[in-house]
Amino acid sequence: MDRTCSITYTLRATRKLTASPPSGFAAFLRGRRAELALADPRRYSLRQVAYRVGVEPSYLSKVERGLEPPPGETTAIALAHELQLDPDLLLAMAGKVSSELQTIIRKRPKLFAELIRALKDQPDHAVLRIVREVRDGNW
C-alpha cells in the first residue's frame, strides 16, 4: 500500500471511530423517510427523495447520518413537504426559524419575546386556545 492510500485509509477509519451518533434532526429525518419507505420503498429511497428535493443523494445520506449539519431553509422545507411533515417542525428540529416567522418577529420583537416567554411553561391546550382565539378574532 502506498503512502497516499495508507493516509486515506487511516483518515476513513478515524472518522468512523470518532463519528458521533446522528443528532436528533438526523435521526428524525432518517426515521421518517424509513417509515414512509415501509409503505412505498421505491418512492422513499434515499436517491428518489434526494432527487425530488434537489440535492445529491450523498449529501442527503450525510445529513441523515449526522455528518453534515441540517440543510438550509429551502431544502428543509422541501424535505418537510416530501416527507409529509410540518415545515416549521422540521426547521425547529434543525435549530432554525423560517424567514417568514423572522420577519413577523422583527416587526414587534419586544412584544413577541414577551409573548413567547409568557407561554413557554403553559400546557399545550392553553396555548392552542389562545391561538384559536386570535385566529378566530374572539379576543
Side-chain angles (χ1 to χ4, degrees):
M1 183 178 329
D2 70 351
R3 182 166 164 66
T4 305
C5 288
S6 176
I7 290 171
T8 302
Y9 177 77
T10 303
L11 286 172
R12 285 184 184 152
T14 304
R15 273 192 217 129
K16 285 182 181 178
L17 291 174
T18 59
S20 58
S23 68
F25 177 84
F28 178 78
L29 188 65
R30 186 176 203 156
R32 178 60 179 162
R33 188 179 58 75
E35 178 184 326
L36 292 169
L38 290 174
D40 194 348
R42 292 180 62 108
R43 177 167 173 75
Y44 291 102
S45 72
L46 185 119
R47 285 186 177 282
Q48 287 300 310
V49 171
Y51 173 75
R52 287 192 301 276
V53 170
V55 298
E56 290 293 320
S58 61
Y59 170 73
L60 182 56
S61 173
K62 288 176 184 175
V63 170
E64 285 188 353
R65 291 180 290 140
L67 301 176
E68 286 282 338
E73 179 180 358
T74 304
T75 302
I77 290 171
L79 278 168
H81 290 300
E82 186 60 38
L83 300 176
Q84 303 167 24
L85 296 167
D86 180 90
D88 287 322
L89 168 69
L90 199 58
L91 284 169
M93 292 192 74
K96 302 171 190 274
V97 176
S98 73
S99 55
E100 175 196 16
L101 289 178
Q102 289 179 33
T103 300
I104 292 167
I105 292 168
R106 282 189 192 114
K107 287 183 180 178
R108 298 186 271 183
K110 187 174 180 176
L111 198 55
F112 279 108
E114 187 178 334
L115 175 64
I116 291 168
R117 285 188 182 104
L119 294 175
K120 76 175 183 175
D121 294 325
Q122 297 301 314
D124 287 353
H125 71 276
V127 175
L128 286 170
R129 190 184 84 233
I130 292 167
V131 169
R132 283 189 209 109
E133 287 176 6
V134 171
R135 183 185 58 221
D136 298 342
N138 296 331
W139 39 281

